[in-house]
Amino acid sequence: MGEKDTDRKQLPEEISGKKSEGYDDIFVYVPEMRQIIRIAEGDGSNLLPEDIEEGYAGYIYYEQYEITTDIPEVDGGQILLEEMLRDKYRCMEECIPDVLDMAYGSRMAKYMVL
């Protein structure tokens, strides 16, 4: 049994106050920015041949929505991964700090999983 198998067994039942729920899309509220972020596992359709040649295997896709009357999408992006998302993270919630870093330049932004 490899080290990754051992790590998977030690996944805490809760990471940020809500039970971890696998790899479904998640929504995160970032109060300081007054935004909701939808985070999803990329299906591979956005990888370019150049990305694959450079060794990327998957990605995280995210969309940022501003909390106003009509909740417009204001930004978003994708984080290229050199390994499959499910090999790098034990659940979607574990990738939140990486998404916050890409979106706001800080892994330490306070957030709430919705």
Side-chain angles (χ1 to χ4, degrees), residues 21-78:
E21 298 181 13
Y23 296 96
D24 291 339
D25 294 3
I26 57 173
F27 293 84
V28 177
Y29 175 56
V30 182
E32 182 179 343
M33 302 305 291
R34 297 187 40 81
Q35 291 184 351
I36 292 175
I37 304 175
R38 181 181 78 90
I39 303 172
E41 179 177 13
D43 64 6
S45 62
N46 282 352
L47 286 177
L48 301 172
E50 305 88 67
D51 296 332
I52 296 167
E53 287 174 20
E54 291 179 26
Y56 295 109
Y59 56 90
I60 301 165
Y61 183 78
Y62 67 94
E63 301 159 338
Q64 295 166 250
Y65 297 90
E66 188 172 46
I67 304 296
T68 60
T69 305
D70 55 352
I71 308 179
E73 182 177 343
V74 293
D75 207 348
Q78 64 183 33

Side-chain angles (χ1 to χ4, degrees), residues 68-109:
T68 60
T69 305
D70 55 352
I71 308 179
E73 182 177 343
V74 293
D75 207 348
Q78 64 183 33
I79 301 170
L80 294 174
L81 304 172
E82 293 179 344
E83 57 191 301
M84 297 305 292
L85 183 136
R86 294 174 187 226
D87 293 333
K88 182 174 177 86
Y89 304 103
R90 295 172 290 180
C91 65
M92 283 302 286
E93 193 171 339
E94 277 194 348
C95 75
I96 293 171
D98 292 337
V99 172
L100 295 174
D101 188 41
M102 181 66 85
Y104 305 120
S106 173
R107 300 172 61 86
M108 304 306 289

